[in-house]
Amino acid sequence: MSSAHRQLLPLKANSVIGILGGGQLGRMTALAAARLGYRCHIFHPEAESPAAEVSAFATRAEWDDEAALAAFADSVDVVTLEFENVPAAALSFLEARVPVMPGASVLSITQHRVLEKDFVKAQGAETAPYRAVRSLEELRAAVAEIGSPCVLKTCRFGYDGKGQAKLWADSDLAAIWGSLKTDDAILEGFVNFTCEVSVIVARGRDGQVVSFPVVENRHANHILDETHVPAAIDPRVAEEARRVAAAVVAGFADFAGLLAIEMFVTADGHVLVNEMAPRPHNSGHWSMDGAVTDQFEQLVRAVSGHALGSTDILRPCVMKNLLGDDILKVPELMKKPGARVHLYGKSEAKPGRKMGHVNFMGIEGGAG
Ligand code: AMP
């Protein structure tokens, strides 16, 4: 590590925060960093980068371009990420040169659904029943053990319902296994949940842990549609969800940054962890207008060595994603009192693509 990287904490204004990934999460992190006087350097392989557009520096290169990674590492004071599937080799390469938060040890777990669930259970949290599945024979055995309905998912690179299939008693297992095109999957029992919630928890470089309030997430076509804040659940269940989140983050030996944990709430009040992401999360976008400190500022505070901020709710609110052609509704949304519109500057509105979101302030019910 060069002497530039042994800076005293908190990082001084004008320090440079490196962000791995060039999407909207990086964009909103960079905007929050700018408010605290920091500059961001985005590392992104894609041609278009909503994050690079608002940042002082950007490197467009592939994850295996060591010359580009080395130059990036030399130019920043700390690295964080907005994309959890950064290849392990790129992370180790960077970690040898500059602090990366969260680092390779965290991502090796959160990039793989079986390792993730093993880890969560080891921290004393509950999950749906699950089995690792590497072949059609293992799938048949796992379905027999877990029972139907159940859900088959690829262990890596699944998102927004991609790489998963619901299985029923009469499903053609051979056809479904073939269509998944993987030899590394997980079979989970289907959870008859009453609602889906999430908790985003932050840990600072000094070990301080602060969680955001529990929110309820409603999906449409497997993509997050709305987040309702606060979640309308029994306060004891909410307390349990926050306790679980703190226990999971405490399980990582070395962690600074954000951990978003998605959970199912069952009719009998149990909280089952579904999955987690070591980065800002779509279900935390409400905090940009609804919390004393938003999730992006909290991430910047965590990795720059500042104290974490208060996550208290200012007003109940509903966050609604703007997907694809929803972007056409923006002129009307701008007329609504209490609606705060956030757009990501993407040039093409493909179906299902996250183009922006709206925070409807002071609303506890539907987003209207
Ligand atoms: P995931 O990619 O794991 O977040 O799954 C996407 C969505 O599929 C979740 O938000 C749930 O709505 C649903 N889902 C995933 N796993 C299960 C499960 N084991 N039981 C019931 N619903 C599930």
Side-chain angles (χ1 to χ4, degrees):
M1 197 186 300
S2 70
S3 57
H5 297 140
R6 283 200 212 98
Q7 284 202 17
L8 287 177
L9 297 178
L11 296 178
K12 292 197 289 286
N14 288 331
S15 296
V16 182
I17 298 176
I19 300 179
L20 304 178
Q24 65 267 15
L25 302 175
R27 178 185 182 95
M28 292 181 276
T29 304
L31 293 171
R35 287 200 309 270
L36 291 177
Y38 296 125
R39 296 173 179 166
C40 286
H41 186 159
I42 310 297
F43 192 102
H44 66 105
E46 309 80 19
E48 189 180 64
S49 168
E53 267 178 27
V54 302
S55 297
F57 314 105
T59 298
R60 182 185 171 197
E62 298 301 324
W63 296 116
D64 60 359
D65 183 339
E66 293 198 344
L69 287 170
F72 172 77
D74 273 348
S75 75
V76 300
D77 297 285
V78 65
V79 172
T80 189
L81 47 102
E82 64 107 52
F83 167 70
E84 71 269 37
N85 286 318
V86 176
L91 287 168
S92 327
F93 184 89
L94 289 170
E95 267 185 343
R97 291 162 173 78
V98 61
V100 180
M101 300 174 176
S105 62
V106 174
L107 270 83
S108 65
I109 291 169
T110 60
Q111 287 177 349
H112 191 275
R113 290 187 189 270
V114 171
L115 298 181
E116 183 173 82
K117 286 205 163 56
D118 289 349
F119 179 83
V120 160
K121 286 189 79 169
Q123 313 317 315
E126 290 185 74
T127 67
Y130 65 94
R131 297 283 182 279
V133 171
R134 283 156 300 234
S135 65
L136 178 57
E137 293 64 45
E138 285 188 2
L139 175 61
R140 291 194 198 286
V143 172
E145 275 185 87
I146 286 180
S148 310
C150 47
V151 186
L152 180 65
K153 304 178 181 177
T154 55
C155 281
R156 295 184 188 276
F157 304 119
Y159 68 97
D160 290 344
K162 293 190 176 64
Q164 54 182 272
K166 188 169 179 181
L167 307 186
W168 304 87
D170 59 354
S171 291
D172 179 346
L173 296 186
I176 291 171
W177 179 250
S179 71
L180 217 58
K181 295 188 174 48
T182 185
D183 57 1
D184 190 15
I186 184 172
L187 187 77
E188 300 177 6
F190 185 79
V191 180
N192 227 337
F193 54 78
T194 52
C195 69
E196 293 187 75
V197 299
S198 58
V199 177
I200 297 173
V201 56
R203 187 154 95 180
R205 286 175 77 159
D206 61 355
Q208 183 192 8
V209 172
V210 175
S211 64
F212 280 87
V214 185
V215 300
E216 180 186 340
N217 299 316
R218 300 188 187 166
H219 296 83
N221 303 320
H222 293 282
I223 303 177
L224 182 65
D225 180 29
E226 292 182 356
T227 298
H228 290 242
V229 186
I233 55 175
D234 185 323
R236 284 167 301 185
V237 177
E239 188 53 39
E240 174 64 4
R242 281 176 101 161
R243 191 196 64 74
V244 164
V248 171
V249 81
F252 289 110
D254 187 21
F255 186 101
L258 298 183
L259 187 68
I261 307 181
E262 295 181 57
M263 310 172 194
F264 301 129
V265 178
T266 62
D268 56 2
H270 280 258
V271 170
L272 310 181
V273 173
N274 176 31
E275 63 173 354
M276 52 193 191
R279 54 163 171 77
H281 195 256
N282 197 167
S283 70
H285 290 0
W286 66 274
S287 62
M288 296 174 82
D289 303 300
V292 176
T293 310
D294 69 71
Q295 63 165 344
F296 302 102
E297 178 175 329
Q298 196 75 310
L299 173 59
V300 172
R301 285 170 175 251
V303 302
S304 63
H306 278 290
L308 300 179
S310 159
T311 56
D312 286 353
I313 295 176
L314 297 171
R315 277 190 291 170
C317 54
V318 174
M319 187 285 315
K320 190 164 177 63
N321 270 335
L322 298 175
L323 305 177
D325 281 346
D326 287 346
I327 191 90
L328 301 174
K329 299 176 189 159
V330 166
E332 283 310 308
L333 288 166
M334 297 290 266
K335 294 178 189 162
K336 285 185 186 270
R340 304 234 45 234
V341 177
H342 301 263
L343 301 178
Y344 310 148
K346 296 181 183 177
S347 53
E348 212 188 327
K350 294 184 200 144
R353 192 170 194 210
K354 291 176 180 169
M355 304 300 292
H357 66 272
V358 193
N359 288 330
F360 293 94
M361 307 310 300
I363 298 180
E364 286 179 68

